[in-house]
Amino acid sequence: MGRETLKDVGPLHQLSINFGLDDRILIWYQTMLSAGSVKSLFQGFYHSVKPGSRNLPMGFLAPICERIMFIWALITRWFRYQRNLEVDMNTLKRMLEELDSQTEDIGQKLEAEPPLPIRRHEDEVYEWLENVERIKIRIQTIEQLGERKYLSRAHFVRLVDEKIEEVKELLQKGSLYSEISMKKQFKYVIIGGGVAAGYAAREFVKQGLKPGELAIISKEAVAPYERPTLSKAYLFPEGAARLPGFHVCVGSGGERLLPEWYVKKGIELILSTEIAEVDLHSKTLTSSTGRTFEFQTVIIATGSRVIRLTDFGVQGADAKNIFYLREISDADELVEAIRAKKKGKVVIVGGGYIGLEVGAAMRINQFDVTMVYPEPWCMPRLFTQEIAAFYEAYYANKGIEIIKRTVAVAFDADTNGEVKAVKLQDGRVLQADIVVVGVGAKPLTELFKGQVDEEKGGIRTDGMLETNVPDVYAVGDVATFPLKLYNDMRRIEHVDHARKSAEQAVKAIRAIEEGKSIEVYDYLPYFYSRAFDLSWKFYGDNVGDPLMFGDKNPASGKPKFGTAWIKNGKIVGVFLEGGTDEENKAIAIMARVQPPAEYLDQLKREGYFIA
């Protein structure tokens, strides 16, 4: 039988070519193999020549077995090469497809406008692209040589393995370039797009910011705005506040920073982007979509998140038309409900800032309003019982029912899933078309756990608002800072502190860069609110003995009264309802200077109201 016949037995013919085997041996083996398994072949052959038989002598057995085992090893090796080659070729094909996709993506990013960070590595990337084209040509050549049998099988497999490793290296480098193209690098980054971010941006510009140095990363879809508006004028039935009317910094009487302002100043507003991972050591931020941001200095201005009744497993708390108020999207949803449930019933859960301000706004919208809170009086963290009694009576005169010393334990919903009733712990059931919950907030510090020191629920800072990690600052709700006036560490949740701490952090950052020194943050606690025709302000600390003065009759046309807190014979805090601008400035000075308590008598003798 010649080689033409050997072609009919497929792989054996290739063996004869690659390894120079005798055709007769291969044909014999193919014939014997077709008669049964290899094991049966050897067993039968062995028994035919075993000692004592009349068949072939033992001396003939050894060389035949050796020859057969040699042939079997060659065949096994060939099949292994064949199997590995198929796997390797499929792997190489898949990797080449991935490399093509990577090449196209990186090519587009090189041409992107405005330029992406990958442009800074332009020479390297073009060299990489040339290497990609070069290896694709080489692989194509190897495939053609293999198909024409110009290469031995072993040599072909070895070349394919080598090209797989080379393509793997190119893919790894391409991944790095892709990562660079997704990576944005800034000198300064502010995490959070609330009030503090806007005031920090303005201060950076005052200090001489260069275009492209600063980015603000916010999960909200709009530029920084004055958040307190959401619980007041945003909810009014007439003349309601809307953006762009209350972008920062109008809340403190400053310029309104529209989105165009940031563009003009070269500040990148990265909106609708939530940071999912933070590595302060490597100075890297990663968004929920995988985008990477690198910084030299970062300001943490993440603020707080509302505490939800679902956090406590309150039954039915996930019903529709139960609202929380923190972001403008929350306020928009509430406004839609106000329009849909005109003059309906509203239950306000909570007696703090949100409860009192939203309660007033809902009553102005002619809703039937009931407020529910567990404390013995409203705003217990700031108000004395006497101060609270005035506001509770005033609200009652406006038609708002107040239920104290109980909590909402469950909510009932209708067939549409909308809330229809609130069940209280004391057994009462309140009908409701809308429920607004304001039971507090929690600072958003989870991303930084284990990376920065914490104290009193916030991120501990020094008097410059810098954390224990160099080049990392915290401002606003998340910062626990040294309150110089009282030699104490405090965490304060209020817009005034958000504004001023943001400005202080930026001043501190630039001072360090310029080798200058500035005064530490010397904050005077300040709180305020407006509801109905009322407007109050408080400065200082509400510790010591309260001394009330003025007209605290809730039925008065223009009530005007105040309270001073006396500690160790000094005035340490002052509250004033209905004060003029001049009077409000006076109580701020009083709270900072901390004059003796007798100063109130002097003011009274001189005819000042604040006495």
Side-chain angles (χ1 to χ4, degrees):
M1 183 178 290
R3 289 191 184 275
E4 293 77 18
T5 309
L6 270 174
K7 293 178 181 177
D8 298 334
V9 298
L12 295 178
H13 172 59
Q14 191 64 46
L15 272 174
S16 70
I17 294 174
N18 289 347
F19 300 105
L21 299 179
D22 191 291
D23 291 350
R24 290 171 295 175
I25 293 173
L26 297 175
I27 294 170
W28 171 82
Y29 187 77
Q30 176 70 22
T31 304
M32 297 302 291
L33 196 61
S34 65
S37 68
V38 174
K39 181 178 180 182
S40 299
L41 172 65
F42 278 102
Q43 285 177 341
F45 187 74
Y46 172 76
H47 286 298
S48 69
V49 297
K50 67 182 180 178
S53 71
R54 295 181 180 179
N55 296 320
L56 296 172
M58 284 294 293
F60 184 72
L61 173 62
I64 293 176
C65 286
E66 289 175 1
R67 186 72 172 181
I68 292 173
M69 293 302 294
F70 175 71
I71 296 169
W72 175 249
L74 293 176
I75 293 172
T76 303
R77 183 180 176 188
W78 185 90
F79 276 109
R80 185 170 63 250
Y81 277 148
Q82 183 71 13
R83 184 172 59 253
N84 289 347
L85 180 59
E86 290 177 2
V87 172
D88 288 350
M89 287 303 294
N90 288 334
T91 299
L92 187 57
K93 182 178 179 182
R94 186 175 65 253
M95 292 173 72
L96 283 174
E97 290 174 353
E98 185 179 348
L99 194 61
D100 284 338
S101 175
Q102 204 175 65
T103 303
E104 182 181 358
D105 178 60
I106 290 174
Q108 290 174 352
K109 286 170 179 173
L110 274 175
E111 303 300 324
E113 292 294 343
L116 295 173
I118 194 174
R119 192 76 67 83
R120 291 192 287 270
H121 305 266
E122 189 171 12
D123 292 341
E124 292 178 46
V125 176
Y126 276 119
E127 182 180 352
W128 177 83
L129 289 170
E130 289 174 2
N131 289 335
V132 169
E133 290 305 312
R134 191 175 296 116
I135 198 168
K136 285 165 67 176
I137 293 171
R138 288 176 181 175
I139 291 171
Q140 187 178 12
T141 302
I142 292 170
E143 287 177 336
Q144 291 171 352
L145 291 174
E147 289 173 0
R148 297 175 185 177
K149 308 296 188 295
Y150 292 148
L151 299 173
S152 71
R153 187 67 60 169
H155 190 197
F156 189 36
V157 170
R158 186 168 60 253
L159 287 176
V160 170
D161 287 341
E162 289 175 359
K163 296 311 163 192
I164 286 176
E165 291 303 314
E166 291 179 26
V167 173
K168 190 181 295 182
E169 290 181 12
L170 287 171
L171 283 171
Q172 289 173 348
K173 187 164 285 189
S175 295
L176 177 62
Y177 293 141
S178 293
E179 184 180 337
I180 290 172
S181 67
M182 290 188 67
K183 189 180 294 181
K184 294 232 173 185
Q185 298 170 325
F186 299 96
K187 187 173 184 179
Y188 313 108
V189 170
I190 301 171
I191 309 175
V195 171
Y199 280 78
R202 183 180 68 170
E203 188 61 34
F204 268 121
V205 171
K206 285 182 182 179
Q207 296 288 332
L209 183 74
K210 295 178 182 177
E213 287 188 326
L214 173 63
I216 297 173
I217 305 175
S218 173
K219 76 174 204 173
E220 292 196 71
V222 296
Y225 57 89
E226 302 286 358
R227 204 176 296 280
T229 305
L230 301 181
S231 58
K232 304 178 185 70
Y234 202 82
L235 304 178
F236 287 175
E238 296 179 3
R242 289 291 181 271
L243 290 178
F246 59 99
H247 279 299
V248 297
C249 300
V250 295
S252 60
E255 175 189 3
R256 183 168 63 242
L257 308 184
L258 301 175
E260 303 86 71
W261 179 86
Y262 297 90
V263 175
K264 182 179 179 181
K265 300 301 180 182
I267 299 171
E268 187 158 352
L269 271 179
I270 304 172
L271 304 177
S272 302
T273 301
E274 185 171 5
I275 296 300
E277 293 181 20
V278 173
D279 189 334
L280 297 179
H281 177 72
S282 65
K283 298 190 173 185
T284 302
L285 313 174
T286 305
S287 75
S288 57
T289 58
R291 297 178 68 188
T292 303
F293 307 93
E294 292 183 345
F295 61 85
Q296 295 179 33
T297 300
V298 68
I299 297 177
I300 301 170
T302 45
S304 299
R305 69 168 181 86
V306 295
I307 296 173
R308 297 176 178 271
L309 297 181
T310 49
D311 297 341
F312 307 106
V314 176
Q315 182 182 345
D318 57 351
K320 297 176 183 177
N321 290 341
I322 297 179
F323 299 97
Y324 300 83
L325 202 55
R326 181 67 188 176
E327 300 176 355
I328 196 165
S329 58
D330 301 325
D332 286 338
E333 291 176 1
L334 180 54
V335 168
E336 287 301 312
I338 290 172
R339 292 169 180 166
K341 305 290 183 180
K342 286 183 180 180
K343 300 182 181 181
K345 295 181 181 294
V346 174
V347 174
I348 307 291
V349 179
Y353 269 110
I354 293 296
L356 290 170
E357 293 178 357
V358 175
M362 298 304 282
R363 188 64 189 138
I364 292 171
N365 278 280
Q366 300 182 42
F367 276 79
D368 183 353
V369 180
T370 301
M371 294 182 64
V372 179
Y373 44 89
E375 296 85 4
W377 63 81
C378 64
M379 288 283 288
R381 291 169 60 184
L382 176 60
F383 289 177
T384 64
Q385 186 171 359
E386 290 75 19
I387 294 173
F390 166 83
Y391 291 99
E392 289 171 352
Y394 191 95
Y395 274 49
N397 290 343
K398 291 291 186 178
I400 295 176
E401 181 182 3
I402 296 177
I403 301 175
K404 298 181 282 186
R405 300 178 185 273
T406 190
V407 295
V409 295
F411 298 88
D412 288 338
D414 60 20
T415 55
N416 294 322
E418 296 182 353
V419 68
K420 67 175 183 179
V422 183
K423 295 181 178 179
L424 304 183
Q425 192 176 50
D426 63 11
R428 279 181 279 188
V429 178
L430 308 176
Q431 300 304 306
D433 300 300
I434 294 173
V435 173
V436 180
V437 181
V439 293
K442 183 179 180 181
L444 286 166
T445 60
E446 288 85 355
L447 286 172
F448 316 98
K449 293 286 185 184
Q451 301 187 70
V452 292
D453 291 342
E454 296 185 57
E455 185 174 341
K456 296 184 178 180
I459 297 172
R460 181 185 176 92
T461 75
D462 60 19
M464 299 297 174
L465 283 306
E466 188 174 19
T467 71
N468 63 301
V469 181
D471 304 319
V472 177
Y473 295 75
V475 300
D477 291 3
V478 298
T480 300
F481 63 97
L483 194 55
K484 181 181 177 181
L485 189 60
Y486 307 124
N487 192 29
D488 188 22
M489 293 295 292
R490 297 277 180 95
R491 189 181 69 81
I492 295 177
E493 296 177 6
H494 195 266
V495 65
D496 182 65
H497 164 60
R499 294 165 179 156
K500 292 176 179 174
S501 62
E503 293 171 340
Q504 171 72 17
V506 175
K507 291 174 183 176
I509 290 167
R510 297 310 299 263
I512 290 173
E513 292 174 349
E514 296 168 5
K516 299 177 181 178
S517 62
I518 61 170
E519 293 294 323
V520 298
Y521 189 41
D522 189 10
Y523 183 67
L524 174 66
Y526 166 52
F527 301 92
Y528 70 88
S529 183
R530 293 186 296 275
F532 293 118
D533 295 326
L534 304 175
S535 176
W536 60 262
K537 294 181 184 293
F538 168 83
Y539 291 93
D541 211 6
N542 60 335
V543 295
D545 299 320
L547 177 64
M548 203 168 190
F549 53 85
D551 178 10
K552 54 184 181 295
N553 181 358
S556 298
K558 289 187 177 180
K560 191 172 187 178
F561 70 95
T563 298
W565 280 263
I566 313 298
K567 182 181 179 181
N568 298 328
K570 294 182 179 180
I571 301 171
V572 296
V574 187
F575 172 94
L576 184 60
E577 164 63 47
T580 64
D581 289 343
E582 184 179 352
E583 290 167 341
N584 289 328
K585 289 177 183 177
I587 66 171
I589 295 171
M590 197 184 303
R592 173 153 317 261
V593 174
Q594 298 184 5
E598 292 77 19
Y599 185 63
L600 291 173
D601 295 329
Q602 178 183 338
L603 290 176
K604 186 174 182 179
R605 287 194 300 271
E606 293 176 0
Y608 288 95
F609 160 73
I610 309 170

